Amino acid sequence: MIRGTVPPTMPRDLHDHYFREAKREGYRSRAAYKLKEIDDRKKVLRRNANVLDAGAAPGSWLQVAWERVRPGGVVVGIDLQAITPFPPDAAIHLIEGDLAEVPDDALLAPVRSPGGAETRFDVILSDMAPATSGDQTIDHHQSVRLARLVIERAPGLLTGGGAVIIKVFEGEAYPELLGEMRTCFKQVKGFKPKASRSISREMYVIGTGFDPSAAAHLTGDTPPPPPRRPKPGPGWSNG
Ligand SMILES: C[S@@+](CC[C@H](N)C(=O)[O-])C[C@H]1O[C@@H](n2cnc3c(N)ncnc32)[C@H](O)[C@@H]1O
C-alpha cells in the first residue's frame, strides 16, 4: 500500500462497505476493489509488467496496479483531470490529457529502456467514464466510444499477447463491441464485479491474447476479419 496519498475529498455513499474499506486501507477510491476482484479472477497484472491506466483519476487503480507489478513494472496513468502525485519510490507516471489526443510516444516514454528500445504495455486498463447526461442511451454510446478509443489505440501501445480491462456501460451496442474485440483478442469476456453497484450498468470487458496482426483493420489499413466465436466460461457473462 502506498500510504499518505489519500486526497482530502472522497466519493459518495459514506455508508458503503467498499468506501469504508478503501478509507481503511488507504486507497484513493472504492474502485480499487473492482480491479482487485477482476484481476484475482483473470490474473492479467503480473509482476514486472508495464501497465497503462486510462481514466486513472483519482488513482486507486494505479495503486492496485503498482502493488501487483512492482518492483520491476511501470504504471502510466492518464486522465483529463490532474492526479495527486505518488511517492517517488513507486514507478507510477502521470499524464494529464485526453487519451484521444496524447500521442503513443508520450504514453510509452516512461516504459522505454534507457537505450530507447521499443517497449509496449503488457496491459491497458480503462475505467474511463463519460460525464453522465442522465440519459442511459446517450451515456451508453459515449462509454462505448471511450471503449473503442482504447481498442483503436491498442496496435500502437499494446504488446502482442497483451491484455485489456475496459469499463463500458451496457446497452444495445455492447454485443457489437465484444464482437469487434474478438477480431483481435484471443479471449473476450464481460464481468460485473461485486464492488460495482448493482444499480450501475457498468461492465468490465477483459480481452486477453492481443493479436497485433489481426488488429491492422483498427488503424484503417485492412478490412475487419469475421468475428471469432465466443467460448463461454463459468461465472462470466458474454453479453
Ligand atoms: C471512474 S473515474 C476513474 C477512477 C479510477 N479508476 C480510480 O480507480 O481512481 C473515470 C475517469 O475517466 C476520465 N476520463 C474520461 N474520458 C477520458 C479521456 N478521453 N481521456 C482520459 N481520461 C478520461 C475522467 O476524467 C474520470 O476521472
Side-chain angles (χ1 to χ4, degrees):
M1 169 57 45
I2 309 158
R3 300 210 175 271
T5 57
V6 183
T9 53
M10 293 287 283
R12 59 186 184 251
D13 198 354
L14 289 170
H15 303 292
D16 181 278
H17 163 74
Y18 291 106
F19 171 82
R20 286 195 306 271
E21 280 299 286
K23 194 153 191 174
R24 192 177 63 78
E25 296 199 280
Y27 289 113
R28 292 184 175 192
S29 91
R30 66 193 295 293
Y33 298 98
K34 301 178 195 175
L35 180 58
K36 278 172 175 263
E37 190 183 339
I38 295 165
D39 192 53
D40 286 347
R41 288 285 287 271
K42 285 307 278 184
K43 304 210 178 327
V44 298
L45 294 170
R46 296 178 193 279
R47 190 167 295 278
N48 302 334
N50 293 326
V51 178
L52 175 65
D53 181 10
S60 72
W61 278 31
L62 294 170
Q63 292 173 289
V64 173
W66 171 243
E67 280 170 12
R68 295 185 179 209
V69 306
R70 70 186 174 193
V74 172
V75 182
V76 179
I78 175 170
D79 202 288
L80 299 170
Q81 302 175 42
I83 300 170
T84 305
F86 291 92
D89 56 334
I92 303 176
H93 301 259
L94 305 175
I95 298 171
E96 187 177 343
D98 186 334
L99 182 69
E101 290 170 8
V102 176
D104 289 356
D105 276 354
L107 294 165
L108 287 166
V111 299
R112 286 242 153 84
S113 60
E118 179 74 10
T119 309
R120 295 191 177 198
F121 294 105
D122 302 294
V123 180
I124 302 178
L125 308 173
S126 172
D127 199 21
M128 284 193 293
T132 45
S133 68
D135 180 318
Q136 279 191 351
T137 306
I138 293 173
D139 294 344
H140 158 64
H141 285 287
Q142 292 287 13
S143 103
V144 169
R145 187 183 59 78
L146 289 173
R148 285 210 174 99
L149 171 61
V150 177
I151 303 307
E152 284 162 16
R153 297 296 302 265
L157 296 171
L158 188 62
T159 193
V164 294
I165 298 175
I166 303 174
K167 172 158 79 185
V168 64
F169 299 152
E170 261 191 302
E172 60 188 5
Y174 179 70
E176 194 184 329
L177 175 72
L178 297 193
E180 286 165 16
M181 288 180 64
R182 286 190 178 110
T183 64
C184 53
F185 288 89
K186 203 168 169 186
Q187 194 172 60
V188 175
K189 308 220 172 185
F191 181 58
K192 173 96 175 163
K194 287 191 201 80
S196 178
R197 290 180 171 87
S198 51
I199 54 158
S200 164
R201 293 171 68 85
E202 74 183 5
M203 286 289 287
Y204 289 86
V205 184
I206 296 99
T208 52
F210 180 61
D211 179 353
S213 63
H217 66 282
L218 297 173
T219 53
D221 298 338
T222 53
R228 292 189 172 111
R229 288 188 54 192
K231 290 184 201 152
W236 293 86
S237 153
N238 285 302

